[in-house]
Amino acid sequence: ELRQAIPQEDIKPHFQPIISLGNDRIIGFEALARWDHAERGLLAPDMFIPLAEETGLIVQIGEWVVHEACRVASNWPGDLSVAVNISPKQFLAPGLSATILQALTNSGLPPSRLELEITESIFIADVDATLSTLHMLRELGVRIALDDFGTGYSSLSYLRSFPFDKVKIDQSFVRDLNEKGNNAHAVIRAITTLADALGMDTLAEGVESSEQFDIVRAEGCCYVEGYLVGRPLPM
């Protein structure tokens, strides 16, 4: 069914708003894949992305989402940006730069309005090859964000190796802000301070309460994303 869903265009991007804490305005959206299943209804990524990763279909799904996200974003007003997740298998597949360039060319979206989100796991296989690909993508003019920061093993070395535009603080740290007696406040403050020193923006993922929103603002985050701001919706 998943193989058929791709050519049938049943995999659709939904868009979750991103808020700037500098002016409390929407500055862009993250494109998140949803499967519009004929019998099961709308399926969230955790229902099919693991299967897509296992079968290799994630590369086709990723390419489709990039093209669709750029097409939709090209109709947005002003400088609203769109962020797209790039899976490790898609990142390692040949021709990623060509795929991104084609999506930008076909849609007419300026490269500066596209942000590619990658996770630390892409560095595990071959650091030199990974850095080479990242620099090729950067040369296209797109922005690069490090997703789920804080959940890997060598985050600091990766920040030193490549000048990411943005660091996304994993939602597990944001969720822990509701629990007293832990060090989530200190961790978020440390990440924002480090990122600022390196000239990188920070985004707090998974913000679902006003309390969390106020805390990440006070701790110096630049952007916020989560159900409090808005849920992913089709466009």
Side-chain angles (χ1 to χ4, degrees):
E1 289 178 331
L2 185 57
R3 290 185 188 279
Q4 294 172 352
I6 301 171
Q8 293 174 178
E9 300 184 5
D10 291 334
I11 307 293
K12 306 178 186 297
H14 285 207
F15 298 88
Q16 185 166 27
I18 299 170
I19 293 287
S20 169
L21 291 176
N23 55 21
D24 290 335
R25 292 177 179 270
I26 294 177
I27 54 88
F29 296 82
E30 179 178 1
L32 300 167
R34 297 289 187 269
W35 182 1
D36 189 6
H37 194 281
E39 298 178 2
R40 301 170 182 261
L42 199 63
L43 301 181
D46 59 348
M47 297 292 290
F48 65 93
I49 291 299
L51 177 62
E53 291 275 6
E54 182 181 344
T55 59
L57 291 172
I58 190 65
V59 176
Q60 292 174 259
I61 291 174
E63 290 179 356
W64 165 249
V65 171
V66 167
H67 279 271
E68 276 295 284
C70 288
R71 182 188 65 80
V72 173
S74 67
N75 296 314
W76 295 344
D79 295 326
L80 290 174
S81 63
V82 63
V84 181
N85 292 280
I86 303 296
S87 76
K89 286 191 176 181
Q90 184 184 5
F91 187 88
L92 295 174
L96 175 60
S97 295
T99 296
I100 301 301
L101 180 59
Q102 184 182 45
L104 292 169
T105 302
N106 291 349
S107 65
L109 184 74
S112 60
R113 292 176 57 189
L114 175 62
E115 184 171 276
L116 304 179
E117 299 183 0
I118 57 95
T119 61
E120 298 169 32
S121 58
I122 65 168
F123 288 94
I124 294 176
D126 188 331
V127 174
D128 290 336
T130 295
L131 292 175
S132 176
T133 301
L134 287 173
H135 283 293
M136 287 176 61
L137 294 171
R138 173 62 62 72
E139 289 174 2
L140 296 178
V142 302
R143 291 167 56 84
I144 310 291
L146 182 60
D147 198 8
D148 299 334
F149 183 79
T151 60
Y153 298 101
S154 304
S155 301
L156 294 181
S157 65
Y158 301 148
L159 290 184
R160 291 179 58 194
S161 301
F162 184 79
F164 291 96
D165 296 288
K166 181 186 293 179
V167 173
K168 299 189 69 175
I169 302 171
D170 188 69
Q171 60 182 342
S172 61
F173 296 113
V174 176
R175 193 180 306 118
D176 287 346
L177 292 174
N178 294 331
E179 300 179 10
K180 295 183 179 180
N182 61 42
N183 57 4
H185 287 248
V187 170
I188 291 178
R189 187 183 312 121
I191 294 173
T192 58
T193 302
L194 174 63
D196 184 61
L198 295 174
M200 303 175 189
D201 293 333
T202 48
L203 181 149
E205 298 181 289
V207 175
E208 298 183 355
S209 70
S210 298
E211 180 183 8
Q212 293 171 344
F213 186 94
D214 292 339
I215 292 172
V216 297
R217 183 201 292 273
E219 299 299 354
C221 285
C222 305
Y223 305 102
V224 169
E225 181 180 13
Y227 285 176
L228 178 69
V229 174
R231 293 176 178 267
L233 295 171
M235 289 190 182

